[in-house]
Amino acid sequence: MNWLKNAWYVAGFKEELDDSKVVARRFLGTAVVMMRHSDGRVAALRDMCPHRLMPLSAGRRVGDELECGYHGLRFDVGGACTLAPGQANIPRQACVQHYPLAERHGLLWIWMGKAERADPDLIPDIRWNDHPEWTPSRGYHHVAADFRLSVDNLMDLGHESWVHLRTIGQAEEECIPSYPVKVSIEGEGLVRAHREMPNIEAPPFFAMVLDHHGRINRWQTAIGLAPSICMTDFGVYPVGSSADEAYRSHVLHLLTPETESSTHYFWSVARNRRLGDEKLTQDICKAIAQTFDEDAVVLAIQQKQIEAEGGPVPRLALRVDEAPIRSRRLLESLIKQENEDPDFVYRPALMVEDVTPELEMG
């Protein structure tokens, strides 16, 4: 698989690491083990002992070091071997690859490319996951599909009317593809697809968060930032009220390839209203988990079909495919530049989206 390697990918939520445990995951096809040092530093190593290839995560943690469960070799958070039982000298080759790991916005970020290029200033601005003016509902899904299918799915919100009718979708008489979408490319690596839906029936999820069962105005913007971060910015408010008082949410879809056919899907749904309502936080978690369960089923089926039938998707292009196709082409261009130009540095655009759209709604 040809991935964009010199980029930051989400590796987990910050609170997953404490100073006593390790977390093992596979990123971009490579097994990695993560840990937090007693001084607060976070570290990521290749999850493989250089002696007989045993996963270090299958051993144990001894203080701030990892001990292989086969012959007891120990490695510090930088990957250097500190102990080889039964001998005084430590072979020069006894070291483990280290990957840059950083903390920002309440998340762990890993860099799987050239370590010397891992500039923390290139971490995308998704502050809403950890911001006092927003309350997040967080979760994780493991998706049995190529991460690009998830990006396609999130940049084409037209599928909601069929896949998510029980949660966020509109019925066929108000199906989402009937409302025009404006697609644009803004800054390096960023695609935006904006749609407005005035005077519509409130789907179940929006009726819940608004505590309103009449007609609503709704906008939603699908934002894709290469290689694999998406955000759905939506706002809803009752017809007859002001857009300035809209219930607004930034839905962060933090996709990290696990293998060619599986994806880590970390998500955070940050809202700007009823910030201290813990019941609402949990209700949103349940509703969003159900929504993403529905997506996961469709994506897994697509993956199997692609493996069986071969070739890319879509086989034919519809209007709803404009943003997904643009996102794929943009990513392919970045990967091509990375492979061909040793000096190429991808500097992703900022995901700043806190201005209420100028809506033409009644």
Side-chain angles (χ1 to χ4, degrees):
M1 182 77 177
N2 203 3
W3 286 298
L4 187 70
K5 291 190 174 181
N6 290 307
W8 290 101
Y9 291 87
V10 172
F13 293 104
K14 178 180 177 180
E15 58 270 20
E16 290 185 81
L17 290 185
D18 60 27
D19 59 4
S20 63
K21 65 181 180 181
V22 301
V23 174
R25 289 194 175 116
R26 187 174 292 274
F27 303 119
L28 279 62
T30 299
V32 172
V33 58
M34 300 179 289
M35 62 186 293
R36 184 183 298 278
H37 193 280
S38 58
D39 66 9
R41 286 179 293 159
V42 292
L45 302 177
R46 187 167 187 189
D47 193 11
M48 187 175 72
C49 179
H51 177 219
R52 288 187 173 271
L53 312 187
M54 283 291 290
L56 292 175
S57 60
R60 65 180 183 132
R61 178 169 179 161
V62 180
D64 286 325
E65 297 181 338
L66 295 178
E67 181 180 271
C68 179
Y70 196 7
H71 290 89
L73 276 74
R74 290 185 187 174
F75 301 89
D76 66 18
V77 292
C81 183
T82 63
L83 176 68
Q87 60 187 72
N89 66 305
I90 296 176
R92 189 161 45 89
Q93 300 90 342
C95 58
V96 178
Q97 184 171 354
H98 170 269
Y99 298 96
L101 189 68
E103 294 178 281
R104 188 164 296 179
H105 312 308
L107 298 160
L108 301 168
W109 298 82
I110 195 165
W111 183 279
M112 300 297 291
K114 297 178 180 178
E116 66 273 14
R117 294 194 175 184
D119 182 355
D121 288 340
L122 298 179
I123 293 175
D125 180 6
I126 54 171
R127 68 184 85 101
W128 307 281
N129 178 61
D130 185 27
H131 193 284
E133 296 179 6
W134 297 81
T135 294
S137 299
R138 303 186 182 103
Y140 170 84
H141 276 64
H142 183 266
V143 180
D146 181 341
F147 81 99
R148 293 172 298 180
L149 291 177
S150 288
V151 173
D152 289 349
N153 177 72
L154 294 164
M155 294 305 293
D156 156 34
L157 298 178
H159 72 275
E160 292 177 1
S161 291
W162 292 270
V163 179
H164 304 306
L165 193 55
R166 295 182 298 167
T167 52
I168 59 176
Q170 301 296 141
E172 287 193 27
E173 59 270 19
E174 294 178 333
C175 72
I176 292 172
S178 298
Y179 297 88
V181 61
K182 181 180 179 181
V183 180
S184 58
I185 296 178
E186 303 176 12
E188 189 167 6
L190 192 145
V191 177
R192 189 185 308 273
H194 179 72
R195 177 181 276 115
E196 298 180 5
M197 291 163 282
N199 196 15
I200 60 174
E201 289 292 335
F205 178 81
F206 298 115
M208 176 190 72
V209 298
L210 281 175
D211 193 19
H212 171 83
H213 294 274
R215 297 185 75 81
I216 64 170
N217 295 321
R218 172 184 179 183
W219 82 80
Q220 61 185 34
T221 307
I223 302 169
L225 182 65
S228 59
I229 290 178
C230 295
M231 181 172 77
T232 308
D233 168 43
F234 75 77
V236 289
Y237 57 99
V239 169
S241 63
S242 170
D244 292 335
E245 300 301 318
Y247 175 99
R248 187 168 190 174
S249 185
H250 294 302
V251 186
L252 302 171
H253 314 274
L254 312 171
L255 309 166
T256 300
E258 181 186 46
T259 68
E260 294 184 7
S261 58
S262 60
T263 302
H264 298 293
Y265 187 168
F266 306 96
W267 51 266
S268 176
V269 183
R271 66 181 187 273
N272 70 339
R273 294 286 184 270
R274 300 165 62 184
L275 301 185
D277 189 336
E278 180 60 27
K279 181 178 183 302
L280 179 60
T281 299
Q282 295 305 317
D283 287 345
I284 290 173
C285 275
K286 292 176 183 178
I288 294 298
Q290 177 185 352
T291 301
F292 294 165
D293 283 344
E294 294 165 345
D295 280 324
V297 170
V298 171
L299 295 171
I301 292 172
Q302 276 192 89
Q303 180 67 38
K304 290 181 178 179
Q305 287 291 92
I306 290 170
E307 292 170 356
E309 302 294 333
V313 290
R315 291 289 182 90
L316 57 91
L318 304 176
R319 289 182 180 178
V320 295
D321 292 310
E322 181 182 358
I325 289 173
R326 285 198 181 197
S327 296
R328 284 216 180 202
R329 288 176 178 171
L330 192 152
L331 177 58
E332 289 168 2
S333 175
L334 291 172
I335 293 173
K336 185 173 186 290
Q337 291 179 76
E338 180 178 86
N339 290 339
E340 295 180 354
D341 182 358
D343 297 322
F344 172 71
V345 178
Y346 169 46
R347 299 189 180 279
L350 294 178
M351 294 184 72
V352 177
E353 182 69 15
D354 268 345
V355 178
T356 300
E358 294 294 329
L359 306 177
E360 297 179 0
M361 295 186 177

